[in-house]
Amino acid sequence: MKKAIQRSIKMRFQTRIDHQDHTDAYEFTTRGELFHKGKHDYLRFEEVLNNETIQTTMKWNGRELILIRQGVILMRQTFIAGETTVGRYVTPEASWETTAATEKVFVQWPAGKVKGRIDLTYQFELQGQATGKHTVRLTLEEDTSR
């Protein structure tokens, strides 16, 4: 991605969580911004959870993907393929330590007419309790309507 260029993005966000005997799925579409600063690429977008807006930023340096959520939920989690990382999940009621044992991180930014995507697969624990295998896919394309 070229430096110092901010681009408008249309995206589809899909999450699937497989936990023991059940599967949960969550999906939404939104618009966001993709930009480069220093040695990192950033994807910034908003998501709505229980009628509350959460500002989400994904920061990528070619090796690690950092997820930062700010709003009614505060979260910071790093994902590195083949590694287990520690993070934090905070609500108005409590704060919990998180761990992510990341199996896969794939990041491809959109270029021209080619769509980009982010694929992420990890086992997640919240305060030592397994929440299941999380599979996340973001499909990205430049928003030329803006």
Side-chain angles (χ1 to χ4, degrees):
M1 187 167 85
K2 293 181 181 176
K3 295 180 192 267
I5 293 178
Q6 185 167 329
R7 299 186 288 167
S8 294
I9 298 293
K10 292 187 290 188
M11 60 179 279
R12 181 175 171 202
F13 187 105
Q14 301 167 286
T15 299
R16 177 184 160 142
I17 304 169
D18 294 305
H19 184 67
Q20 295 174 351
D21 61 345
H22 68 280
T23 298
D24 294 316
Y26 175 66
E27 181 177 325
F28 65 91
T29 57
T30 190
R31 296 178 189 279
E33 301 293 328
L34 180 60
F35 61 95
H36 184 87
K37 183 176 177 185
K39 296 182 179 182
H40 297 90
D41 293 313
Y42 294 84
L43 174 63
R44 187 178 306 152
F45 58 93
E46 290 182 348
E47 56 183 303
V48 178
L49 185 64
N50 300 326
N51 296 320
E52 298 283 345
T53 300
I54 299 168
Q55 179 71 39
T56 300
T57 303
M58 298 181 110
K59 180 178 174 182
W60 173 247
N61 70 2
R63 179 176 175 263
E64 65 182 20
L65 182 67
I66 302 172
L67 173 67
I68 304 164
R69 297 169 82 195
Q70 299 175 18
V72 67
I73 293 171
L74 300 174
M75 181 178 181
R76 184 177 183 96
Q77 184 70 54
T78 301
F79 301 95
I80 303 170
E83 294 188 23
T84 299
T85 53
V86 176
R88 175 95 15 220
Y89 185 91
V90 180
T91 69
E93 294 79 30
S95 175
W96 296 281
E97 181 179 273
T98 59
T99 58
T102 306
E103 297 171 21
K104 176 183 178 182
V105 178
F106 176 83
V107 176
Q108 176 185 36
W109 300 124
K113 296 185 181 197
V114 178
K115 290 183 181 182
R117 72 178 209 255
I118 297 173
D119 290 325
L120 182 60
T121 305
Y122 57 96
Q123 298 285 340
F124 196 66
E125 289 185 4
L126 185 66
Q127 203 63 26
Q129 297 296 310
T131 65
K133 180 178 182 175
H134 294 240
T135 305
V136 179
R137 170 169 274 189
L138 284 75
T139 305
L140 312 166
E141 68 178 293
E142 286 199 58
D143 184 356
T144 55
S145 66
R146 287 188 166 184

